[in-house]
Amino acid sequence: MTADSSQPLQFNSVSVGDFFDQVSQAYDDSIRKAIPPYVEMFDALLGYCFFATKQPPHILELGCGTGNLSVLLKERFPNAKLTLVDLSADMLKQASVKLGGEGAQIHLVQSGFMALDFEPQQFDMVISSMALHHLLDSEKPLLYERMFQWLKPGGLFRCADETLNVPATIQSENMARWEVWARQNGAQDQDITLWTEHAEQYDHYAPLSDHFKWLERSGFISIDCYWRKLMWTVFGCAKPL
Ligand SMILES: C[S@@+](CC[C@H](N)C(=O)[O-])C[C@H]1O[C@@H](n2cnc3c(N)ncnc32)[C@H](O)[C@@H]1O
């Protein structure tokens, strides 16, 4: 990590929550270098968030991390109630500091996604950035089914995440392009090694077509991809009215 390059971190055998606990201090700096279009991706994601309701919307963010997207949501929708979920206590702590702590409009939940149990039809939108690829492909469709229940009729799902390029030759080509781009963007050997090893151990990318199939089977409509660069993808859909 660039934060302490003299001490390479070892993560073999820790859970994904422990991994993010350990990198939480260095996360913001390293992720901005490792994902060159990080800010552009958020712009694309937020550009497709809109609410028909006149009531303050209730937004569920899955995998808020250090709160980079949460802060933008709060700025863009100042009346919204935000429920922010993450497995890592240390990432959540940083999100809490950035958002000025918990309150009537900010609710922090430390939990794994698959252990969540919300009442039906609570949320106007479920949103997530760079988090759902940590689930197994057997878990992703189950989470989509639950999200469908948690959303109000007409509610939106918006997601920015890494998806698998197909065929494998394109995925390999894009990984090579990623490394060149990240280094041009300031990533150092430690950043490349950290995120490459992280991906090998914790990431489970699925093709965008699989996400679309799972979302459709869960009942979602208007499923579309709004933006894509290399493997970073912004997509979304809606629960019918
Ligand atoms: C790469 S970070 C993304 C953080 C933030 N959304 C962003 O875009 O910078 C992924 C986050 O998802 C959380 N996460 C990963 N798997 C999870 C799971 N199964 N349940 C809850 N949180 C999870 C991690 O703890 C981490 O904070």
Side-chain angles (χ1 to χ4, degrees), residues 13-216:
S13 85
V14 300
S15 77
V16 70
D18 292 338
F19 170 89
F20 281 105
D21 278 343
Q22 290 173 46
V23 299
S24 62
Q25 295 294 327
Y27 176 83
D28 282 356
D29 176 63
S30 189
I31 203 72
R32 284 193 165 90
K33 290 175 182 163
I35 304 182
Y38 187 66
V39 173
E40 184 187 330
M41 183 175 70
F42 283 162
D43 280 347
L45 182 63
L46 288 164
Y48 292 92
C49 296
F50 10 70
F51 301 102
T53 170
K54 298 257 185 294
Q55 302 299 316
H58 190 179
I59 301 172
L60 171 64
E61 186 186 347
L62 297 175
C64 63
T66 58
N68 293 330
L69 175 62
S70 330
V71 166
L72 297 174
L73 284 167
K74 196 178 167 203
E75 279 170 16
R76 191 177 172 96
F77 305 109
N79 297 327
K81 183 173 167 194
L82 301 181
T83 295
L84 310 177
V85 175
D86 205 285
L87 196 52
S88 158
D90 290 337
M91 296 290 268
L92 271 175
K93 256 183 231 156
Q94 300 217 27
S96 177
V97 170
K98 281 185 197 160
L99 293 159
E102 283 208 78
Q105 285 178 282
I106 309 270
H107 182 40
L108 303 175
V109 181
Q110 189 191 352
S111 171
F113 302 139
M114 302 312 294
L116 291 170
D117 186 18
F118 294 111
E119 291 295 315
Q121 305 199 5
Q122 287 205 35
F123 299 103
D124 297 280
M125 181 168 73
V126 178
I127 193 165
S128 186
S129 158
M130 299 302 298
L132 299 188
H133 66 258
H134 295 105
L135 292 176
L136 300 174
D137 282 3
S138 55
E139 295 173 311
K140 290 178 190 112
L142 296 174
L143 182 69
Y144 287 163
E145 282 173 19
R146 291 178 196 174
M147 278 171 19
F148 187 85
Q149 300 303 326
W150 301 334
L151 280 166
K152 296 175 189 171
L156 304 178
F157 172 54
R158 296 290 184 258
C159 185
D161 206 354
E162 283 195 50
T163 57
L164 191 69
N165 295 114
V166 286
T169 46
I170 302 288
Q171 177 71 11
S172 306
E173 174 61 28
N174 280 349
M175 289 308 288
R177 291 185 191 199
W178 160 68
E179 187 172 336
V180 171
W181 197 9
R183 286 186 188 281
Q184 287 168 348
N185 195 47
Q188 297 170 17
D189 287 347
Q190 297 92 330
D191 301 293
I192 301 294
T193 304
L194 177 82
W195 293 113
T196 304
E197 290 182 355
H198 168 85
E200 282 165 12
Q201 197 171 349
Y202 301 104
D203 292 356
H204 308 282
Y205 308 129
L208 185 57
S209 55
D210 282 359
H211 287 277
F212 282 11
K213 182 180 67 190
W214 296 325
L215 290 166
E216 190 172 16

